[in-house]
Amino acid sequence: MIKTKTSESLFTFDKSFNKTIIGTDEAGRGPGAGGVFASAVHFETVSKKLLEELSILNDSKQLSAKKREYLYDFIKNDTINATTCIEVEEIEKNNILNCSLKAMKLSCENIISRINNKEILVLVDGNRLIKNFDYPQQYIVKGDSKSASIAAASILAKVSRDRYMKELDKEFPQYQWAKNAGYLTKEHLDAIDKYGLTKYHRKSFLRKHFEKQLTLF
């Protein structure tokens, strides 16, 4: 594969900080079913070969599922990385934002324990910093389209969560989670109305739906 300016600019962005960069991003804040995932990625070395392998690296939302799957194995095998899932029970107890940030924190701490470098800077996708975190961090708005480490983390989190939802789909195929990843599509909501809720549904995300249903009677 031939390198693109897009992928080169992502790595240049990370390099500009002159720190040991860890990028982190989440997947699954919005769906009405399933856990929330967050991954963290550190590129220990960036070789010419790696740049070629990751030539299409970008924000996971800008890539097809096939391209995300293609990149996943390279990122998984050629970086120091970690992925954390916070399940529905904790999401319902502590809210989705807190759980997303906790998943980021745990993934980042996992990497930090393995790289033994004091000049660390964690780049956090979005506009929030990780809570109760003891290391230097900086949030990057739309970081998954600017930073190679965040973009790689976004792909690991997205692919990991999609695979997880496909496994849950085997248990409850009527909700089509392999297709909708737990997002509240019309088909998903129709299935909820017909079959009810499962242990994997985020009940707090469905309050408005049920309130609307009640107004119809």
Side-chain angles (χ1 to χ4, degrees):
M1 282 194 171
I2 300 172
K3 289 186 292 182
T4 66
K5 290 183 179 179
T6 299
S7 63
E8 282 194 23
S9 68
L10 297 176
F11 284 99
T12 299
F13 180 86
D14 285 2
K15 190 175 180 180
S16 69
F17 292 95
N18 293 313
K19 301 284 186 182
T20 298
I21 296 298
I22 297 170
T24 186
D25 198 6
E26 55 76 28
R29 275 184 61 176
V36 64
F37 280 65
S39 295
V41 170
H42 167 61
F43 287 95
E44 192 169 24
T45 58
V46 182
S47 64
K48 182 178 179 181
K49 181 175 181 289
L50 182 66
L51 284 171
E52 290 174 352
E53 290 171 345
L54 301 184
S55 64
I56 59 171
L57 182 66
N58 202 346
D59 169 11
S60 64
K61 296 184 289 297
Q62 302 301 318
L63 298 171
S64 66
K66 185 176 181 180
K67 288 181 178 178
R68 289 194 297 267
E69 287 284 348
Y70 166 82
L71 289 168
Y72 178 90
D73 288 335
F74 289 119
I75 296 167
K76 190 75 175 171
N77 295 330
D78 295 336
T79 69
I80 298 175
N81 59 79
T83 298
T84 302
C85 172
I86 304 295
E87 295 285 4
V88 171
E89 183 178 357
E90 190 168 346
I91 292 172
E92 291 294 273
K93 182 179 178 181
N94 295 324
N95 82 48
I96 187 61
L97 176 60
N98 287 333
C99 289
S100 298
L101 295 174
K102 178 181 177 180
M104 287 181 174
K105 179 178 185 245
L106 292 173
S107 292
C108 289
E109 288 175 343
N110 179 292
I111 291 179
I112 291 167
S113 70
R114 293 151 60 195
I115 62 177
N116 192 29
N117 190 308
K118 295 180 181 179
E119 293 296 317
I120 288 167
L121 176 63
V122 172
L123 302 182
V124 184
D125 183 62
N127 60 1
R128 303 265 186 164
L129 294 176
I130 299 171
K131 297 179 180 179
N132 304 313
F133 191 60
D134 296 329
Y135 301 91
Q137 59 177 314
Q138 181 173 329
Y139 66 73
I140 308 291
V141 176
K142 296 184 179 179
D144 43 11
S145 62
K146 298 174 183 176
S147 160
S149 300
I150 294 177
S154 77
I155 290 166
L156 290 191
K158 172 64 174 166
V159 173
S160 297
R161 189 175 190 280
D162 284 349
R163 291 177 179 181
Y164 156 94
M165 291 306 297
K166 287 176 182 177
E167 288 301 309
L168 298 190
D169 179 81
K170 294 176 183 178
E171 188 175 351
F172 293 102
Q174 61 268 42
Y175 300 97
Q176 300 183 54
W177 289 335
K179 179 182 177 183
N180 61 46
Y183 282 91
L184 296 173
T185 62
K186 182 181 184 303
E187 291 78 13
H188 189 179
L189 290 170
D190 287 346
I192 288 169
D193 290 339
K194 183 175 181 180
Y195 301 106
L197 298 176
T198 70
K199 60 185 178 182
Y200 299 117
H201 279 105
R202 303 175 186 176
K203 296 177 178 61
S204 60
F205 281 50
L206 286 149
R207 286 185 188 129
K208 289 184 179 179
H209 173 69
F210 288 120
E211 287 171 1
K212 182 179 178 182
Q213 295 297 90
L214 288 172
T215 64
L216 299 178
F217 294 95

